[in-house]
Amino acid sequence: MALEWVVLGYAAAAEAVMIILLTLPGLNSLRKGLIAVTTSLLKPFLSIVPFCLFLLMDIYWKYETRPSCDSVDCSPSEHLRHQKSIMKSQRNALLIAAALVFYWILYSVTKLVVRVDQLNQRIEKLKNKE
């Protein structure tokens, strides 16, 4: 199951890099190419949403079926394994939340940048008519 988390981590990292590149000032010469790449990747990255829901259900199932180690008859190694399992579940839930938030931000930023470019083109057309 570790491969799913690696894929989700790389996807979240790619989304974060694209957000940073789209919002950095001074990259006007690269902006059109970045917009084209980002808009073409938005639809494939939409598959992150059901993938995250699947992984969230997996975390929930593991939480519900995990043996509890709250009693005194747990050995220290069992208690440590139980705590590690809880920490991994929390880390994975944060990764899911980050991937979903990064996708939403990337979609919103791309939509805004495209809209700003369209408005700039309109302004240029109006200036050229005058």
Side-chain angles (χ1 to χ4, degrees), residues 8 12 18 25 30 45 69 75 77 111 116-117 126:
L8 187 63
M18 285 189 279
L30 299 174
F45 273 161
C69 192
S75 69
S77 63
K111 187 176 169 183
V116 166
D117 282 349
L126 289 174

Side-chain angles (χ1 to χ4, degrees), residues 19-87:
I19 291 168
I20 290 171
L21 288 176
L22 281 175
T23 57
L24 275 178
L27 294 177
N28 292 334
S29 59
L30 299 174
R31 184 121 11 234
K32 289 187 184 206
L34 288 171
I35 292 171
V37 168
T38 305
T39 53
S40 67
L41 287 177
L42 277 176
K43 283 188 181 178
F45 273 161
L46 185 62
S47 64
I48 286 177
V49 175
F51 188 61
C52 285
L53 292 176
F54 167 74
L55 291 175
L56 198 61
M57 287 188 304
D58 182 51
I59 289 173
Y60 178 73
W61 179 77
K62 285 180 182 177
Y63 178 76
E64 287 294 320
T65 60
R66 179 180 23 232
S68 66
C69 192
D70 296 331
S71 63
V72 185
D73 45 321
C74 284
S75 69
S77 63
E78 289 174 340
H79 187 67
L80 183 62
R81 189 172 70 224
H82 179 71
Q83 292 297 323
K84 280 175 135 179
S85 175
I86 290 172
M87 292 290 280

